[in-house]
Amino acid sequence: MKIWAALRQAVIGWVMLLRGEDGWRERFSFTAAGLATALIIFVFTTFLAVAITSASIGMPSLAGVIAAMFVLALPLTSLVVVLLGTRMTLKSQEPALDVMVPATYALTAFLLAEGFLAMLGGPVVMLAWLGLAYMLYQLARSATAWTTAISAGFAVLTVVLLVAMRLALYMLSTAAAGSPI
């Protein structure tokens, strides 16, 4: 039941964070165990997304499930790359867990929202990207001492990198499918 409690607290924390209320930090556990809990929820959500998507055609092999989960984990990868790059560029001593823990929960919500919007079709998926960018911006403003411009840049770069990595994987898979090898 600890997972459900952590998820409930994260939702409450994010509502408080987006409203600009104080006390949102108490809703998250900024420890390695707190990050591990957030990651477990994220991994479970990616597995559930693969299972639901595969329901009509049958579950893929283990390698297929892992590959699909890898693609669904790209938002997390882009977050880590941009967060570490921003901290390194700014020579910031901000604790990474202050951003990583709440952002992992935000990425879990993003996966769900993006999947739902993808079922509606086409460009409406961009709404999930805009929502994610806004959430990351608000988090960066609240959790760090970064300026408005740095926080906005962090949020935009995270989403741009996510989209670019997905596009690159799509191009590589299309090229590999058409390859005579």
Side-chain angles (χ1 to χ4, degrees):
M1 284 300 174
K2 186 175 179 175
I3 297 277
W4 290 113
L7 191 56
R8 181 178 181 280
Q9 290 298 315
V11 169
I12 293 169
W14 264 105
V15 169
M16 292 174 74
L17 198 145
L18 292 174
R19 288 181 180 167
E21 297 174 7
D22 292 332
W24 65 270
R25 287 181 178 273
E26 287 78 34
R27 302 297 179 163
F28 298 98
S29 175
F30 298 107
T31 62
L35 180 60
T37 302
L39 289 171
I40 288 168
I41 293 169
F42 182 82
V43 168
F44 176 75
T45 303
T46 60
F47 178 77
L48 192 60
V50 172
I52 290 171
T53 304
S54 305
S56 64
I57 58 172
M59 196 70 164
S61 66
L62 179 60
V65 170
I66 291 171
M69 289 177 69
F70 171 75
V71 171
L72 289 174
L74 287 177
L76 191 59
T77 305
S78 66
L79 172 74
V80 169
V81 168
V82 175
L83 176 61
L84 294 178
T86 303
R87 290 179 73 227
M88 187 173 59
T89 302
L90 297 175
K91 295 177 180 50
S92 174
Q93 299 302 318
E94 300 282 344
L97 288 177
D98 286 5
V99 175
M100 280 299 300
V101 173
T104 303
Y105 287 107
L107 293 174
T108 303
F110 165 74
L111 284 179
L112 296 172
E114 186 183 43
F116 175 74
L117 291 173
M119 289 190 300
L120 298 176
V124 80
V125 171
M126 286 187 245
L127 293 174
W129 300 342
L130 292 172
L132 177 62
Y134 178 72
M135 290 176 80
L136 292 175
Y137 167 76
Q138 284 295 103
L139 175 61
R141 289 294 296 146
S142 299
T144 67
W146 298 343
T147 64
T148 301
I150 299 288
S151 298
F154 164 75
V156 169
L157 282 175
T158 301
V159 174
V160 167
L161 181 59
L162 161 64
V163 173
M165 285 191 303
R166 285 184 174 170
L167 184 59
L169 277 177
Y170 173 74
M171 290 168 47
L172 287 171
S173 67
T174 303
S179 175
I181 296 177

